[in-house]
Amino acid sequence: MIIAIDGPAAAGKGTLSRMIAETYGFHHLDTGLTYRATAKALLDAGLPLDDEKVAEKMAREVELAGLDRDVLSSHAIGEAASRIAVIPAVRSALVEAQRAFSLREPGTVLDGRDIGTVVCPDAPVKLYVTASPEVRARRRYDEIVGKGGVADYHRIFDEVKMRDGRDMGRADSPLRPADDAHLLDTSEMSIEAAFQAAKTIIDAVLTRQIK
Ligand code: C5P
């Protein structure tokens, strides 16, 4: 059983994916972390982000077991990740590792930008989780301020729009809903309500598979 969850930055897909994986006892992979780990390795080594050969080598060295959200969460790493994510050789290296992960038993939840379209096009459940750019920027702002940080809403809003532009506009595997994805707009939805909506969709598929 593979559950593919895609959507733009800060739409709530990470939290939702973790809740789903926990509920069903499935393995979870936040594929954004694989792009972030590749970007961080390049930044730490002082290497350029646009050298295809070097970036591909770093991508092939990423260990899925060692991915740590706390170490990879900074805005600078996210930006660098979205820049190296346009390189086809980096994508194919990471997609290979993500596909291998998706086959783990008893099931997996993968979240990212191209899971339903490229990584696992045959996944029986595909969700496209989105929210308006204003709501996503507001959530990110609240998260930073909630942790005692300082944030500028307008700047975050501009960054959200810029990241969307890069992820949706790239030539290789642009962010878009798969034709058979269920759309979940969380702009006016609590995470609990989004989870219930997702659970209804997943349970219907599981029941059909058992029959
Ligand atoms: O989701 P997260 O913000 O951690 O992802 C960082 C960047 O990695 C995204 O902006 C996107 O460019 C890239 N990414 C991708 N494909 C995925 C997951 C993430 O291109 N499946």
Side-chain angles (χ1 to χ4, degrees), residues 9 13 30-33 35-36 78 81-82 85 91 98 111-115 163 167 170:
K13 63 184 189 307
D30 172 349
T31 62
L33 294 184
Y35 290 89
R36 285 174 181 261
S82 89
R91 300 204 69 84
Q98 293 160 11
D111 74 279
R113 304 290 191 288
D114 60 342
I115 310 302
R163 179 83 68 88
D167 288 348
R170 67 179 173 227

PDB file of all heavy atoms in Angstrom, residues 9 13 30-33 35-36 78 81-82 85 91 98 111-115 163 167 170, ligand 1:
ATOM      1  N   ALA A   9       4.790  24.103  -0.531  1.00  0.00           N
ATOM      2  CA  ALA A   9       5.387  24.290   0.794  1.00  0.00           C
ATOM      3  C   ALA A   9       4.349  24.831   1.777  1.00  0.00           C
ATOM      4  O   ALA A   9       3.500  25.651   1.411  1.00  0.00           O
ATOM      5  CB  ALA A   9       6.562  25.269   0.681  1.00  0.00           C
ATOM      6  N   LYS A  13       1.091  19.239   4.534  1.00  0.00           N
ATOM      7  CA  LYS A  13       1.202  17.836   4.120  1.00  0.00           C
ATOM      8  C   LYS A  13       2.156  17.028   5.010  1.00  0.00           C
ATOM      9  O   LYS A  13       1.961  15.836   5.170  1.00  0.00           O
ATOM     10  CB  LYS A  13       1.562  17.690   2.645  1.00  0.00           C
ATOM     11  CG  LYS A  13       2.897  18.262   2.272  1.00  0.00           C
ATOM     12  CD  LYS A  13       3.112  18.152   0.787  1.00  0.00           C
ATOM     13  CE  LYS A  13       4.531  18.527   0.412  1.00  0.00           C
ATOM     14  NZ  LYS A  13       4.987  19.843   0.900  1.00  0.00           N
ATOM     15  N   ASP A  30       9.529  11.840   4.164  1.00  0.00           N
ATOM     16  CA  ASP A  30       9.359  13.224   3.718  1.00  0.00           C
ATOM     17  C   ASP A  30      10.431  13.432   2.646  1.00  0.00           C
ATOM     18  O   ASP A  30      11.612  13.617   2.963  1.00  0.00           O
ATOM     19  CB  ASP A  30       9.574  14.144   4.931  1.00  0.00           C
ATOM     20  CG  ASP A  30       9.611  15.608   4.556  1.00  0.00           C
ATOM     21  OD1 ASP A  30       9.681  15.923   3.348  1.00  0.00           O
ATOM     22  OD2 ASP A  30       9.585  16.447   5.463  1.00  0.00           O
ATOM     23  N   THR A  31      10.037  13.357   1.374  1.00  0.00           N
ATOM     24  CA  THR A  31      11.046  13.387   0.302  1.00  0.00           C
ATOM     25  C   THR A  31      11.731  14.745   0.189  1.00  0.00           C
ATOM     26  O   THR A  31      12.821  14.840  -0.371  1.00  0.00           O
ATOM     27  CB  THR A  31      10.445  12.993  -1.064  1.00  0.00           C
ATOM     28  OG1 THR A  31       9.436  13.944  -1.410  1.00  0.00           O
ATOM     29  CG2 THR A  31       9.867  11.590  -1.033  1.00  0.00           C
ATOM     30  N   GLY A  32      11.091  15.798   0.718  1.00  0.00           N
ATOM     31  CA  GLY A  32      11.734  17.118   0.721  1.00  0.00           C
ATOM     32  C   GLY A  32      13.059  17.053   1.466  1.00  0.00           C
ATOM     33  O   GLY A  32      14.020  17.747   1.109  1.00  0.00           O
ATOM     34  N   LEU A  33      13.114  16.192   2.483  1.00  0.00           N
ATOM     35  CA  LEU A  33      14.363  16.081   3.268  1.00  0.00           C
ATOM     36  C   LEU A  33      15.497  15.515   2.426  1.00  0.00           C
ATOM     37  O   LEU A  33      16.664  15.821   2.682  1.00  0.00           O
ATOM     38  CB  LEU A  33      14.139  15.214   4.515  1.00  0.00           C
ATOM     39  CG  LEU A  33      13.189  15.768   5.583  1.00  0.00           C
ATOM     40  CD1 LEU A  33      13.146  14.837   6.795  1.00  0.00           C
ATOM     41  CD2 LEU A  33      13.596  17.173   6.019  1.00  0.00           C
ATOM     42  N   TYR A  35      16.033  16.197  -0.745  1.00  0.00           N
ATOM     43  CA  TYR A  35      16.560  17.345  -1.501  1.00  0.00           C
ATOM     44  C   TYR A  35      17.313  18.291  -0.554  1.00  0.00           C
ATOM     45  O   TYR A  35      18.349  18.852  -0.898  1.00  0.00           O
ATOM     46  CB  TYR A  35      15.423  18.076  -2.227  1.00  0.00           C
ATOM     47  CG  TYR A  35      14.882  17.244  -3.364  1.00  0.00           C
ATOM     48  CD1 TYR A  35      13.848  16.333  -3.159  1.00  0.00           C
ATOM     49  CD2 TYR A  35      15.448  17.312  -4.634  1.00  0.00           C
ATOM     50  CE1 TYR A  35      13.380  15.521  -4.180  1.00  0.00           C
ATOM     51  CE2 TYR A  35      14.992  16.504  -5.663  1.00  0.00           C
ATOM     52  CZ  TYR A  35      13.953  15.612  -5.431  1.00  0.00           C
ATOM     53  OH  TYR A  35      13.511  14.810  -6.452  1.00  0.00           O
ATOM     54  N   ARG A  36      16.759  18.442   0.654  1.00  0.00           N
ATOM     55  CA  ARG A  36      17.417  19.315   1.636  1.00  0.00           C
ATOM     56  C   ARG A  36      18.777  18.756   2.054  1.00  0.00           C
ATOM     57  O   ARG A  36      19.754  19.501   2.195  1.00  0.00           O
ATOM     58  CB  ARG A  36      16.520  19.482   2.872  1.00  0.00           C
ATOM     59  CG  ARG A  36      15.351  20.420   2.628  1.00  0.00           C
ATOM     60  CD  ARG A  36      14.391  20.461   3.796  1.00  0.00           C
ATOM     61  NE  ARG A  36      13.278  21.352   3.525  1.00  0.00           N
ATOM     62  CZ  ARG A  36      13.205  22.608   3.976  1.00  0.00           C
ATOM     63  NH1 ARG A  36      14.153  23.092   4.741  1.00  0.00           N
ATOM     64  NH2 ARG A  36      12.173  23.369   3.661  1.00  0.00           N
ATOM     65  N   GLY A  78      16.141  25.136   2.585  1.00  0.00           N
ATOM     66  CA  GLY A  78      14.952  24.936   1.742  1.00  0.00           C
ATOM     67  C   GLY A  78      15.103  25.611   0.385  1.00  0.00           C
ATOM     68  O   GLY A  78      14.765  25.050  -0.659  1.00  0.00           O
ATOM     69  N   ALA A  81      17.598  23.726  -1.593  1.00  0.00           N
ATOM     70  CA  ALA A  81      16.988  22.463  -2.042  1.00  0.00           C
ATOM     71  C   ALA A  81      16.152  22.698  -3.296  1.00  0.00           C
ATOM     72  O   ALA A  81      16.212  21.921  -4.258  1.00  0.00           O
ATOM     73  CB  ALA A  81      16.117  21.878  -0.927  1.00  0.00           C
ATOM     74  N   SER A  82      15.395  23.780  -3.317  1.00  0.00           N
ATOM     75  CA  SER A  82      14.535  23.988  -4.485  1.00  0.00           C
ATOM     76  C   SER A  82      15.366  24.386  -5.714  1.00  0.00           C
ATOM     77  O   SER A  82      14.939  24.199  -6.848  1.00  0.00           O
ATOM     78  CB  SER A  82      13.391  24.958  -4.181  1.00  0.00           C
ATOM     79  OG  SER A  82      13.731  26.281  -4.427  1.00  0.00           O
ATOM     80  N   ALA A  85      16.814  21.046  -6.959  1.00  0.00           N
ATOM     81  CA  ALA A  85      15.722  20.154  -7.390  1.00  0.00           C
ATOM     82  C   ALA A  85      15.372  20.330  -8.870  1.00  0.00           C
ATOM     83  O   ALA A  85      14.608  19.543  -9.413  1.00  0.00           O
ATOM     84  CB  ALA A  85      14.485  20.378  -6.527  1.00  0.00           C
ATOM     85  N   ARG A  91      17.439  14.655  -9.446  1.00  0.00           N
ATOM     86  CA  ARG A  91      16.096  14.088  -9.275  1.00  0.00           C
ATOM     87  C   ARG A  91      16.122  12.580  -9.507  1.00  0.00           C
ATOM     88  O   ARG A  91      15.557  11.820  -8.744  1.00  0.00           O
ATOM     89  CB  ARG A  91      15.086  14.728 -10.234  1.00  0.00           C
ATOM     90  CG  ARG A  91      14.916  16.227 -10.061  1.00  0.00           C
ATOM     91  CD  ARG A  91      13.568  16.710 -10.578  1.00  0.00           C
ATOM     92  NE  ARG A  91      12.498  16.241  -9.753  1.00  0.00           N
ATOM     93  CZ  ARG A  91      12.087  16.827  -8.628  1.00  0.00           C
ATOM     94  NH1 ARG A  91      12.662  17.935  -8.208  1.00  0.00           N
ATOM     95  NH2 ARG A  91      11.114  16.316  -7.918  1.00  0.00           N
ATOM     96  N   GLN A  98      13.816   6.912  -3.374  1.00  0.00           N
ATOM     97  CA  GLN A  98      12.434   7.075  -2.877  1.00  0.00           C
ATOM     98  C   GLN A  98      11.556   5.905  -3.328  1.00  0.00           C
ATOM     99  O   GLN A  98      10.732   5.400  -2.567  1.00  0.00           O
ATOM    100  CB  GLN A  98      11.846   8.405  -3.380  1.00  0.00           C
ATOM    101  CG  GLN A  98      12.554   9.624  -2.777  1.00  0.00           C
ATOM    102  CD  GLN A  98      12.347  10.896  -3.576  1.00  0.00           C
ATOM    103  OE1 GLN A  98      11.510  10.948  -4.488  1.00  0.00           O
ATOM    104  NE2 GLN A  98      13.108  11.928  -3.254  1.00  0.00           N
ATOM    105  N   ASP A 111       5.667  11.906   1.061  1.00  0.00           N
ATOM    106  CA  ASP A 111       5.152  13.229   0.726  1.00  0.00           C
ATOM    107  C   ASP A 111       6.214  14.060   0.029  1.00  0.00           C
ATOM    108  O   ASP A 111       7.410  13.888   0.262  1.00  0.00           O
ATOM    109  CB  ASP A 111       4.543  13.923   1.950  1.00  0.00           C
ATOM    110  CG  ASP A 111       5.559  14.440   2.941  1.00  0.00           C
ATOM    111  OD1 ASP A 111       6.052  13.651   3.743  1.00  0.00           O
ATOM    112  OD2 ASP A 111       5.844  15.650   2.897  1.00  0.00           O
ATOM    113  N   GLY A 112       5.758  14.903  -0.896  1.00  0.00           N
ATOM    114  CA  GLY A 112       6.699  15.713  -1.665  1.00  0.00           C
ATOM    115  C   GLY A 112       5.987  16.559  -2.698  1.00  0.00           C
ATOM    116  O   GLY A 112       4.922  17.144  -2.434  1.00  0.00           O
ATOM    117  N   ARG A 113       6.594  16.630  -3.888  1.00  0.00           N
ATOM    118  CA  ARG A 113       6.026  17.452  -4.961  1.00  0.00           C
ATOM    119  C   ARG A 113       5.619  16.627  -6.176  1.00  0.00           C
ATOM    120  O   ARG A 113       4.794  17.043  -6.981  1.00  0.00           O
ATOM    121  CB  ARG A 113       7.053  18.500  -5.437  1.00  0.00           C
ATOM    122  CG  ARG A 113       7.605  19.409  -4.365  1.00  0.00           C
ATOM    123  CD  ARG A 113       6.532  20.365  -3.873  1.00  0.00           C
ATOM    124  NE  ARG A 113       7.080  21.433  -3.030  1.00  0.00           N
ATOM    125  CZ  ARG A 113       7.530  21.269  -1.791  1.00  0.00           C
ATOM    126  NH1 ARG A 113       7.504  20.079  -1.223  1.00  0.00           N
ATOM    127  NH2 ARG A 113       7.994  22.298  -1.103  1.00  0.00           N
ATOM    128  N   ASP A 114       6.272  15.446  -6.330  1.00  0.00           N
ATOM    129  CA  ASP A 114       6.090  14.659  -7.564  1.00  0.00           C
ATOM    130  C   ASP A 114       5.822  13.194  -7.254  1.00  0.00           C
ATOM    131  O   ASP A 114       6.142  12.333  -8.062  1.00  0.00           O
ATOM    132  CB  ASP A 114       7.360  14.769  -8.422  1.00  0.00           C
ATOM    133  CG  ASP A 114       8.591  14.236  -7.681  1.00  0.00           C
ATOM    134  OD1 ASP A 114       8.532  14.109  -6.431  1.00  0.00           O
ATOM    135  OD2 ASP A 114       9.596  13.941  -8.333  1.00  0.00           O
ATOM    136  N   ILE A 115       5.283  12.901  -6.071  1.00  0.00           N
ATOM    137  CA  ILE A 115       5.116  11.494  -5.689  1.00  0.00           C
ATOM    138  C   ILE A 115       4.036  10.833  -6.561  1.00  0.00           C
ATOM    139  O   ILE A 115       4.256   9.770  -7.130  1.00  0.00           O
ATOM    140  CB  ILE A 115       4.776  11.350  -4.181  1.00  0.00           C
ATOM    141  CG1 ILE A 115       5.761  12.148  -3.323  1.00  0.00           C
ATOM    142  CG2 ILE A 115       4.758   9.869  -3.791  1.00  0.00           C
ATOM    143  CD1 ILE A 115       7.207  11.776  -3.488  1.00  0.00           C
ATOM    144  N   ARG A 163       8.866  30.277  -4.058  1.00  0.00           N
ATOM    145  CA  ARG A 163       9.090  28.825  -4.016  1.00  0.00           C
ATOM    146  C   ARG A 163       8.054  28.125  -4.897  1.00  0.00           C
ATOM    147  O   ARG A 163       8.378  27.204  -5.642  1.00  0.00           O
ATOM    148  CB  ARG A 163       9.026  28.318  -2.576  1.00  0.00           C
ATOM    149  CG  ARG A 163       9.210  26.821  -2.435  1.00  0.00           C
ATOM    150  CD  ARG A 163      10.664  26.406  -2.414  1.00  0.00           C
ATOM    151  NE  ARG A 163      11.280  26.882  -1.194  1.00  0.00           N
ATOM    152  CZ  ARG A 163      11.279  26.184  -0.042  1.00  0.00           C
ATOM    153  NH1 ARG A 163      10.746  25.004   0.000  1.00  0.00           N
ATOM    154  NH2 ARG A 163      11.856  26.669   1.028  1.00  0.00           N
ATOM    155  N   ASP A 167       8.906  25.659  -8.007  1.00  0.00           N
ATOM    156  CA  ASP A 167       8.486  24.251  -7.981  1.00  0.00           C
ATOM    157  C   ASP A 167       7.470  23.927  -9.080  1.00  0.00           C
ATOM    158  O   ASP A 167       7.456  22.820  -9.618  1.00  0.00           O
ATOM    159  CB  ASP A 167       7.911  23.888  -6.602  1.00  0.00           C
ATOM    160  CG  ASP A 167       8.995  23.803  -5.523  1.00  0.00           C
ATOM    161  OD1 ASP A 167      10.188  23.799  -5.889  1.00  0.00           O
ATOM    162  OD2 ASP A 167       8.652  23.742  -4.336  1.00  0.00           O
ATOM    163  N   ARG A 170       9.333  24.475 -13.021  1.00  0.00           N
ATOM    164  CA  ARG A 170      10.517  23.781 -13.555  1.00  0.00           C
ATOM    165  C   ARG A 170      10.100  22.785 -14.637  1.00  0.00           C
ATOM    166  O   ARG A 170       8.962  22.287 -14.651  1.00  0.00           O
ATOM    167  CB  ARG A 170      11.299  23.110 -12.431  1.00  0.00           C
ATOM    168  CG  ARG A 170      10.559  21.979 -11.801  1.00  0.00           C
ATOM    169  CD  ARG A 170      11.388  21.313 -10.692  1.00  0.00           C
ATOM    170  NE  ARG A 170      10.571  20.351 -10.024  1.00  0.00           N
ATOM    171  CZ  ARG A 170      10.457  20.211  -8.713  1.00  0.00           C
ATOM    172  NH1 ARG A 170      11.130  20.993  -7.902  1.00  0.00           N
ATOM    173  NH2 ARG A 170       9.676  19.297  -8.208  1.00  0.00           N
TER     174      ARG A 170
HETATM  175  O1  C5P B   1       9.059  20.098   1.196  1.00  0.00           O
HETATM  176  P1  C5P B   1      10.331  20.867   1.408  1.00  0.00           P
HETATM  177  O2  C5P B   1      10.123  22.330   1.628  1.00  0.00           O
HETATM  178  O3  C5P B   1      11.187  20.254   2.466  1.00  0.00           O
HETATM  179  O4  C5P B   1      11.121  20.689   0.031  1.00  0.00           O
HETATM  180  C1  C5P B   1      12.231  21.486  -0.276  1.00  0.00           C
HETATM  181  C2  C5P B   1      12.338  21.597  -1.795  1.00  0.00           C
HETATM  182  O5  C5P B   1      12.690  20.326  -2.338  1.00  0.00           O
HETATM  183  C3  C5P B   1      11.041  21.973  -2.493  1.00  0.00           C
HETATM  184  O6  C5P B   1      10.825  23.362  -2.576  1.00  0.00           O
HETATM  185  C4  C5P B   1      11.219  21.356  -3.873  1.00  0.00           C
HETATM  186  O7  C5P B   1      11.895  22.203  -4.738  1.00  0.00           O
HETATM  187  C5  C5P B   1      12.085  20.147  -3.611  1.00  0.00           C
HETATM  188  N1  C5P B   1      11.317  18.909  -3.646  1.00  0.00           N
HETATM  189  C6  C5P B   1      11.069  18.338  -4.882  1.00  0.00           C
HETATM  190  N2  C5P B   1      10.425  17.145  -4.976  1.00  0.00           N
HETATM  191  C7  C5P B   1       9.996  16.514  -3.882  1.00  0.00           C
HETATM  192  C8  C5P B   1      10.198  17.093  -2.604  1.00  0.00           C
HETATM  193  C9  C5P B   1      10.852  18.311  -2.517  1.00  0.00           C
HETATM  194  O8  C5P B   1      11.432  18.903  -5.903  1.00  0.00           O
HETATM  195  N3  C5P B   1       9.392  15.330  -4.013  1.00  0.00           N
END
